[in-house]
Amino acid sequence: PDMEAGTTALQRQSQLTKPVGALGRLEELAVWLATWQGRGRPSMERPRVAVFAGNHGITAHGISAYPAGVTEQMVQNFINGGGAVNQLAGGLGADLRVYEMALDQPTGDFTQGPAMNEEDCALAISYGMMSVEEGFDVMAMGEMGIGNTTSAAALCCALFGGEPQAWVGHGTGVDEAGLARKAEVVAAGLEANKAALGDPFEVLRCLGGLELAAIAGAILACRMGRIPVVLDGFACTAAAAVLHAADARALDHCVVGHLSREPGHARLLEALGKTALLNLDMRLGEASGATLAIQLLQSAADCHNGMATFEEAGVSGPVSE
Amino acid sequence: PDMEAGTTALQRQSQLTKPVGALGRLEELAVWLATWQGRGRPSMERPRVAVFAGNHGITAHGISAYPAGVTEQMVQNFINGGGAVNQLAGGLGADLRVYEMALDQPTGDFTQGPAMNEEDCALAISYGMMSVEEGFDVMAMGEMGIGNTTSAAALCCALFGGEPQAWVGHGTGVDEAGLARKAEVVAAGLEANKAALGDPFEVLRCLGGLELAAIAGAILACRMGRIPVVLDGFACTAAAAVLHAADARALDHCVVGHLSREPGHARLLEALGKTALLNLDMRLGEASGATLAIQLLQSAADCHNGMATFEEAGVSGPVSE
C-alpha cells in the first residue's frame, strides 16, 4: 500500500465541497483505492469481474437443491451472456472473465479424505494467480459451483471453529432435511481431515474446491499487483478467509461487496473484521454482489476526482472556522 | 399502479436463471418498477435527478455549522458541475435539474409563527408539481438548504410526536451546543404553531420550507404520472412524510435511496415502514444518496430484462421438481 497516495487523497477529501465525512463510506473507499492503486486520484475506468467455476465431490450427499450439472450449464449461460453477472458487468462496462476449473473432474468427497491432492490444489492456486493480469483498476471476484456453500461452511468451521450448524445455510434453496445433511457433511469432513486443522492452506486443500483455491490465488496475486479486490458472498469470502488465517493483513486490499443472506457470511465477516458495502438479501454468488458494489467504488472515485474544492467553488466553510 | 404489469414481471422473475429470490431486493425492485411504469420489462434508461434549494428563517438561531449563504453558493457549485451530485448523476447519465426557490426570500422564523403564508406554500407545492415532466423513467429527489435538518426535525416531531431531542442530529456538523439549540428551536416551533398540529399540510406550511414543499409537490406529481421516485435522506424524506401523514398509500411509488447518518432518518423510516436501499453513513443531502441508489434500480432492471430463462439457457431446475 502507498501511504503517501492515501494521505494525498485524504487531504483532498477534506477540501471538497461537503462537510468532512458527509459522503461516509464513499470517502473511505476513495482513500482506500488511492492507497492501493498508488495514486492520489484513483481510477475506476477498467474494472474486471472474474468468476471461477468448479465441481464438488460432496454433491453426492444431496447437499444442493440443484444437480451438479448446473455448474457447467451456468458457465455456458455466462458465456452466452444470460446470467445475472453478465447484465451487471455489462451495465458498468466491466470485463467479465469466466474460468472453468476442470468441471469434468470434481474434487474428491471430503467426508472420505482430502478434497484435492497437493498437486491439484497448488495448480488451482497458481491458475488463479496467473489469471490476474496488469491493466485493471479493480477486480470483482466470484464463483460458480454446485455444492460450494457446504465446502465454504467446512472451511469456516475448520478455520474459525464453532458448530457446523452455525456455518451452513439454505444455499441455492435446500429444505430443512438438506440443511441437516449439509451440517453432517461438514462434521464428517472435519473428522476425516483432522490433520489439516491449524494449517490454513491444508484446510483449503482438504475441505475447499478448485474454484475456491483459484480465488485464493487470484486474491493473493492482486495483493502483490496492488489491485483492489471486491469480494462476493459466502463461498468467495470463505476462500479469502484462508489467506486471512495465514496472515491477518492479507485482505487489506479487499472490501466485501455485499452481505449474503447465507447466514454464515455475517459470522464470517465478523471474524474478518469487515463490513459489507451492500445488504440487499442477495445469495446468488457468481460475483453478482461484488459486481454490483463496483458501482459504489466508481461513484466514490467520481466524487473524489470530480468535485470542486471549497476554494475553487467559492463556497464558505463552517462558521466556527 | 399496474398490477398486471407487476404480475407479468413477477412471473418472469421466477423463470430467470437463478434460484427464486436469490437476487433479493433487486427482484423486488424490478417488480416494483414494472408495477409503477406499467410494463412487464421496466426501463431505467432515462433517470432524472431533481434538487430543490431553499433558505430558512430559523438559521438566525445558529442551528447550522455553515452560514445561510452556503445554500446559494452550493447551487452555483451544482450549476458549475462541482458538487457530489454532479459526479453521481454524470456517472449514470442522469439529467440533473436544480430548482432555486427564491433564495433571497427565506421562510419566516417558525419559532415566531408560520414559516410560510398560504400563498407561498401553495406556490412552492405547485412549483414542485410543475417541475415533473413526462419522459422520465425514475426521479431521484433531493434538497439543498442550510438549516433544513432542523425544519425536517420539526416536521417529524409535529407529524409523529416524540421529543424534539429524538429528531434532531448534527446535520452538517454542529457541536453539542448547536444540537441543543436545534432541539430548542423545534420545541419553540411546535409551541408557536400549535394550531397546525393534526393537519399535515398545515404542518408543512408552518414548520417546513420552500424546497421541502416543492419536494412534496414533485412526489405527488410523480405519483399521478406513475413515475417511480427515489427519496434521499432526512430532509427529503421528512417532506415526503407530509404526504404519508395525509394518505398512508401516498408513498407506494417511492423507495428510500439510503439511510442517512442523521439519526432522525432511521426513526422516520420506521414510521413510514420503509427500508433504505443503501447504508453508507452518508449525510450530505443534495440527492446524493438517492442518485447513488438509482444504480441499483438500473441493475435490477438490467438483470430482469437481460437474463436468460432456464428454458432459453437449457439450465436444469431444482432436483426436487
Side-chain angles (χ1 to χ4, degrees), chain B residues 8-9 21 30 47 105 112 123 239 264 274 287-288 319:
Chain B
T8 302
Q105 295 165 49
Q112 307 301 314
L123 275 173
K274 303 249 185 211
S288 54
V319 282

Side-chain angles (χ1 to χ4, degrees), chain A residues 186-199:
Chain A
V186 169
L190 263 71
E191 179 63 28
N193 295 282
K194 268 186 211 158
L197 300 181
D199 179 340

